[in-house]
């Protein structure tokens, strides 16, 4: 395998949160054990790309304490290059309750934290300009003016340098309204080359359309040359340079749905970096989604490249 | 929200057991970790009603040691008023083995214990006479002569004071024979206003009938003005003041079926206390059943009122 | 035993935090399991007093989510009356790392939280004026202007109503400087009747003195009629209405030192409420300190009254 | 019940491994908790037969350390007679990763270990010659020349003494190639009386056939008088003394598929030892398979005889 | 090593309880995880003797359910021969709370249980008459008239057959008064050959004496030819056939004191069975006591013979 | 802080094992939970140096499976540069039993494993020649001829390039005899600049001497200019360029002694890399030893530079 450190890198900008997740089903109100880990839409993608053999770089702000060390330690463990400003503010938290067997609830501690203090100065021009692809999500701009400007700055650099921009809309209703999201994300979307969205997220950008085909078409009319619509158990639909592609989902037993969207985007982008054709990109995207839902956590169960086979055929494992 | 302490209360009489439940699947014979908690058909109902904003009072006997303290501490935590005689006898135990993924086995330590020494003197007349509803189950009379007389005494007071009586048949084959149960429960049923039963339990009271409609009708012919037949995945059927009602179940992933019957009764009774119409009572009853089976434990996963929505629609939660 | 709900109550004002405590020794940087619980200097005292049979009331602000429910649920479980304004802001967090076998580290999430939004309107005049004793600590005034004014308001009411005021200095260097603490706490101390302090905390109030005797004397010259100096493994020294008292510590194996100071104050105050003489108050104070250090957690291991004997003699427990 | 120690015994020859199994889903690469237990195709069968009331004896080599003691301790606990040569070499290990919710991965430490040093001298002639049945699997011959000769020696003794031989093909691709397996196992199969195989394993022995009926027929043409084809969720097909038998599977929720094959063989053999007719043997075989997949572990969840009922009817267990 | 099954056996009569032990320090009142295991003074001795290579047999009554199976399974695992009448009554329970770091509390469920229904018919004459030694404790006679008569019957058989009788006084204040214990145990003691006691227990039998030397002398004047006084951290004193022996304790870090007395007796008796001289018996006795207190549980951490060295020298283990 | 990636690096050569450690006290024979981690004398030093801000590189062979990935992932997480040949052989294992509270036992699976196949070709000349220091231990040469030659090759390169060589004798009796160790290690020691040893290890190299002073002197007479004698609770003695240094230990509560020696060497070497004077090197060495024994695991609890203060003063932490 090539040395990822010599490849041009997927670069992404965002926030990593410390995750406090209840392993057992039941209300937090009764007290609980929790597991401390980390997650973030952009770092999830970076880690997943790295596991598939791609080079990945994450830019962000990180608290100057044990939780900040935890974040950098784990990204390093995953082979992700980190460009992190340390900040005296604390790390954002995500408290995840498994209220019932199928319904989780989330409480964020995400204001006045290190990640939300990301600023325009934190974006290293050379690094973005030298990227293989810049991947951004709709979450970082929702964190405040600083992060929003920082993402815009990264897109400015990428567009100027001819670096393709990938945008996962990733709408989070706990962070902002649909109207605010549309106002902020549309300018970014117009300048992106590739857009990932679920049907609901896509409609937020292109309100008129309904079906995947229409949504992707409407998105591409705004500027991007590619739009990939994530359809969950229906798989995915993509419109890439005018070409339509459909990919059914990989049937798996659902264990934990968290992180499926990030895994999907990462699967696509890792193959893009590897120079693979669109069919393969989409196939790996749904495969990574399958890994995400059949393992625990946001990114922890995602595959290394040689593990892709594990879900790529469907033999029983009775012995 | 109104202050529950100012409302007239659901009053219930029964026994709370300490539960020793194996969290993992496998035979106890190999040793095991166990979780110490508490449960009881009547206290389950009281806690569930309290979570839904109703006032609830539990009457019973409790050991004068750490397990007795545990019981009172947790009922207090749930906002249930406790009227408890402390007793030198130990707390009853329920040892629960998850023998296979779907089959649990129970061993009781329930003789010569505090709860089974409940007596007629333990029932405070004023409290029962001032209740909004008296809720009893077929379990307490099965514990011995003292508890049986105590329940009868409570019904006497309620009937005299015009307090409606609710009876959940709750037949337990480990405690007594069907013949003994019928002999003891029929007089109580005749004086009840509302009866909850599964089809098998209903047939125990009204042996001739088969279908929910016939069972409810036969029960109401014995005295009660309402009969609610719990039908599991089929939902519920009710005959209330001659009016028929049908409520389909809420489809959920089954996680742990323990406590579904108590949750159902509590959902119904909480809405009765809140002055809601029968349709709403039955809807909340099946919703609480759905919470019970999609969370762990006897009552621990039941919802507060604002949480009812969680299972009241069926969106996917993929993100 | 008397019914605590009929007694005049110890009233206290403060914040309860959700505690996320690592059960195992090691850096959080490597990830960890955590236990979710709750703690707060004032609520620790209220719970401990309640366990010893006293009536205790806690006034504060609590988030309107699962963690807020957790706080109210547990205080209710401990028999503490809660007077709580619900607030949309989140619950403060305390992340506790056991960095080595003997050194813990704490990170607070305590700004812009429900507890820090406590305000003067949250203090019910009747309740404070009717208290047996008002207990405050130096922590609440450190949380911001609102909490500081709220505490001052409570002291105003108490002093006007002739309710004795107890102050535990409880200096926290993570919350404010010594200079700020002195400026804010001295006026409260002057109007208090009883003061608890460690030697270092006492010196903060009365900078010239060194030894327990001199510190207590200097404190009493400022207004209070009682000063209790906590001396850790040396026990305690008290100057009460001019009378000197010394109490050696109860020798125990130290398991977890967290919560010893609150336990000490609670032991003293519970006996004060019970009308016990000073010697007994001080004896119970050191006994509760002994329970705190020989059990896990902030308050969880503190004794009910009948359990005091457990550490009151020192037999071996070999069998 | 008869005293198993007075019955003629099922005798089996093999290796027991220490199992290090991850209880949670996720890659071992992130570190993990593991549970230490034991397993081995032949000892699984012996333990299962013993639980059903049969007499069972296991012959093998065991390390002279704590893991060897663990193996002998647990087999003794299960009532299995052990004839074990202690060996300075370590116990073989089986590291089991639950890579996804449905896909496990196994790494063996199985070379230069005690079990693989089994030799022809370790087989006590009297014991095998006095057996009720000799049960062997295709695993032991795959461990090396010593174990292969030892198994052959056991078959020699059995055939000479008129003891029926049972062979479970149990092909393991991690241990040897299909060609090697065929070459070694065919001579053993020809001299066996009864053969257990899945369709794929059967084809390894009789390459031409496809369907269960043809596979069983082809096997019996090689020598055995009985062939039982395990069909997973389809149940089983058997050709016994020219008689065809079909047994549907017992429908259960699949919890953990490990050990289903060994359980199946054990169910059949236990009833053979008990003198039960073929229909009953096959019924118990699929019942044991059902227990294996609806409990955790290789053999831990298998039933005692009085527990067979638990899965033998299909009532719901809602209460 | 000789085959223990060919040796004459230590025979003991008693009850085995299921133990539910809290692994963590804190009040059970807050709920808890518990570990399910087993213990009993007599079976602890039998298991410990078996680990040291001696033959050991346990006689008792055992419930006919999963807990009874657990007891027989574990004793079998330890190589103890069990002569057990199965009984429909449940297994006795022992609930163990670690109330503080150094103080445990126990609640028994020990009435109307299988073990307490032991009767005179349960004692097989041949087995006792053929024993190497009969070991009894003061616990079994405290369980009721049946067990008391059964123990007396065993002593009758032993004395008639010339089998030496060993008695560990093992006074349990939760089971009976000192007066009752003295009345019942004195006749047994007079007919015993060897008595184990702590100083307090010895005084119960021979009230006048104070010091170990006087206690042992007084005991031997009642009949026994040997008296061993257990002195905890002071080691042990023995008077054996008029010969005095003193053995200092093995200094260890105390981890869990439960089971030290049983371990001590077992160490002595195992060496007696092995024909070792008194000095060696006493040395192994204190060594086993050291193992008991430096490991978890009642008997689980006791050594096999080759492990005795582990605590028999005191090198540091820094590496 | 400087960028470690730009510094000259401590380079070390060795094996990393997967560690399977029992978290609880007791015999593995009863089954157990285990924690999967990693350790190795040389990688422990590299990780510890990296935490203190130094640059560290580890050279070795690593299995081509999940355990090999685990090793590389964690070293990367710790900021250690890895130069690893992947090998089809499995990772060595270390099974660690906490037999009593103070005595651990270890079983290795260390033959025919990836680490033991280290060969002379695996040592990159440029990397060693460019090191700030080459650190080796007496463990790698004990693993076989390949590793022994590889270490010698590394020393050859270092000596030729003028890179100082540090040797920690680290004698392991489970791996080889004292005579073999002496024969192999003496030539390496003669060419080293700095030697770490406990008194017993030092005597292995220089058999005549007894006291730390004499041992260090005798070692330096063989070639090295520095000898550091580790004295456990007595601290350390060093002879450096003829200069004597003594450093008392930091008094701490001992939690787990594993890894203290490696931590000590790492503390010394990190300060050497940072250009600190000998007194500071020795002070940091004993501080790291103190961290090792007051936290869990081989290296997991070691400090980052800013954490050194935590044990560098001894205030109580009562609050």
């Amino acid at each position: 395998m090539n040395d990822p450190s010599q490849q041009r890198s997927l670069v992404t900008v965002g926030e990593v949160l410390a995750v406090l997740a209840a392993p057992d089903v039941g209300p937090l109100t009764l007290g609980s054990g929790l597991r401390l880990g980390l997650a973030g839409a952009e770092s999830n993608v970076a880690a997943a790309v790295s596991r598939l053999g791609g080079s990945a770089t994450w830019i962000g702000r990180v608290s100057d304490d044990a939780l900040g060390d935890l974040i950098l330690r784990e990204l390093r463990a995953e082979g992700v290059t980190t460009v992190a400003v340390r900040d005296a503010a604390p790390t954002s938290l995500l408290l995840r309750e498994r209220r019932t067997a199928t319904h989780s609830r989330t409480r964020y501690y995400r204001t006045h934290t290190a990640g939300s203090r990301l600023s325009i100065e934190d974006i290293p021009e050379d690094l973005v300009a030298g990227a293989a692809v810049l991947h951004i999500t709709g979450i970082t701009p929702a964190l405040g003016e600083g992060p929003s400007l920082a993402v815009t700055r990264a897109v400015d650099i990428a567009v100027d340098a001819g670096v393709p921009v990938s945008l996962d809309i990733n709408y989070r209703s706990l962070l902002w309204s649909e109207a605010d999201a549309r106002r902020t994300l549309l300018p970014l979307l117009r300048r992106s080359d590739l857009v990932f969205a679920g049907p609901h997220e896509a409609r937020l950008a292109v309100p008129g359309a309904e079906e995947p085909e229409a949504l992707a078409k409407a998105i591409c009319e705004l500027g991007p040359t590619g739009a990939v619509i994530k359809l969950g158990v229906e798989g995915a639909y993509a419109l890439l340079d005018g070409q339509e592609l459909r990919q059914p989902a990989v049937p798996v037993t659902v264990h934990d749905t968290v992180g499926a969207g990030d895994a999907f985007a990462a699967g696509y982008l890792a193959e893009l970096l590897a120079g693979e054709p669109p069919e393969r990109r989409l196939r790996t995207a749904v495969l990574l989604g399958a890994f995400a839902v059949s393992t625990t956590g946001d990114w922890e169960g995602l595959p290394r490249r040689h593990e892709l086979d594990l879900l790529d055929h469907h033999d029983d494992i009775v012995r």
Side-chain angles (χ1 to χ4, degrees), chain A:
Chain A
M1 202 179 301
N2 314 354
D3 179 358
S5 68
Q6 304 308 316
Q7 301 168 10
R8 287 173 70 216
S9 192
L10 172 136
V11 171
T12 186
V13 179
E15 183 186 30
V16 185
L17 302 93
V19 176
L20 298 158
D24 299 320
V25 170
L28 282 189
T29 304
L30 304 188
S32 172
L34 297 168
R35 290 293 320 165
L36 172 62
L38 74 163
E42 301 82 10
S43 60
N44 293 351
V45 169
V49 164
S50 176
R51 285 202 180 174
L52 291 176
S55 168
T57 301
W58 176 85
I59 301 169
R61 253 182 208 232
V62 162
S63 70
D64 203 8
D65 62 3
L67 295 185
D69 288 343
L70 164 70
I71 288 167
L72 295 183
R73 189 184 185 282
E74 288 294 310
L75 291 183
R76 210 158 48 217
E78 291 300 328
V80 174
T81 301
T82 56
V83 179
V85 178
R86 302 304 290 262
D87 193 299
T91 289
S92 289
L93 303 181
L94 185 168
L95 195 59
R96 188 178 287 146
E97 180 185 32
R98 298 184 61 195
R99 187 55 187 85
T100 76
T102 49
H103 287 70
S104 290
R105 289 200 299 200
T106 294
R107 170 100 215 195
Y108 286 115
Y109 286 77
R110 207 168 188 172
T111 51
H112 309 281
T113 51
S116 64
R117 288 160 58 138
L118 185 75
S119 87
I120 216 163
E121 291 81 34
D122 300 344
I123 310 298
E125 178 158 0
D126 287 3
L127 199 141
V128 175
V133 61
L134 171 71
H135 178 66
I136 60 174
T137 80
I139 296 174
T140 314
L143 301 180
E145 201 188 340
S148 188
L149 290 173
V151 168
T152 300
R153 171 76 180 128
V155 172
D156 291 346
I157 299 170
V159 169
D160 286 356
V163 171
V165 175
S166 156
L167 166 69
D168 189 339
I169 292 185
N170 245 329
Y171 174 65
R172 289 283 184 278
S173 61
L174 286 177
L175 293 177
W176 54 359
S177 70
E178 298 200 359
D180 286 347
R182 181 178 301 114
R183 191 166 32 246
T184 302
L185 296 182
L186 262 186
L188 295 171
L189 183 149
R190 287 180 200 281
R191 301 163 74 204
S192 299
D193 299 89
L194 179 65
V195 173
F196 296 94
H200 181 82
E201 293 172 332
R203 273 173 224 125
L204 193 141
V206 291
E210 266 304 308
E211 293 307 305
E213 294 78 0
L215 289 164
K217 187 148 172 290
I219 286 171
C220 288
E221 285 167 3
L222 293 177
T225 57
V228 185
I229 310 297
K230 299 176 282 186
L231 300 168
V233 294
E234 306 288 314
Y237 169 84
L239 184 65
L240 301 166
D241 297 314
Q243 203 79 31
E244 286 190 294
L245 274 169
R246 284 182 178 80
Q247 174 65 45
V250 175
V252 287
T253 302
V254 174
H255 182 75
D256 172 4
T257 57
V258 171
D262 301 332
F264 181 97
Y268 188 96
L269 292 168
E271 298 296 22
L272 183 70
L273 260 70
E276 297 290 342
E279 291 77 7
R280 176 70 178 272
R281 296 177 212 160
L282 220 52
R283 172 75 184 154
T284 302
V286 301
L287 257 177
L288 256 74
F291 268 92
V293 302
S294 63
T295 53
T296 308
D298 293 75
W299 55 271
E300 287 87 342
L302 298 183
R304 290 161 199 271
R305 187 164 281 282
H306 68 86
E307 295 176 318
L308 284 174
D309 290 350
L310 214 61
L311 297 185
D312 216 354
H313 47 71
H314 313 294
D315 296 357
D316 282 349
I317 52 157
V318 178
R319 61 161 240 197

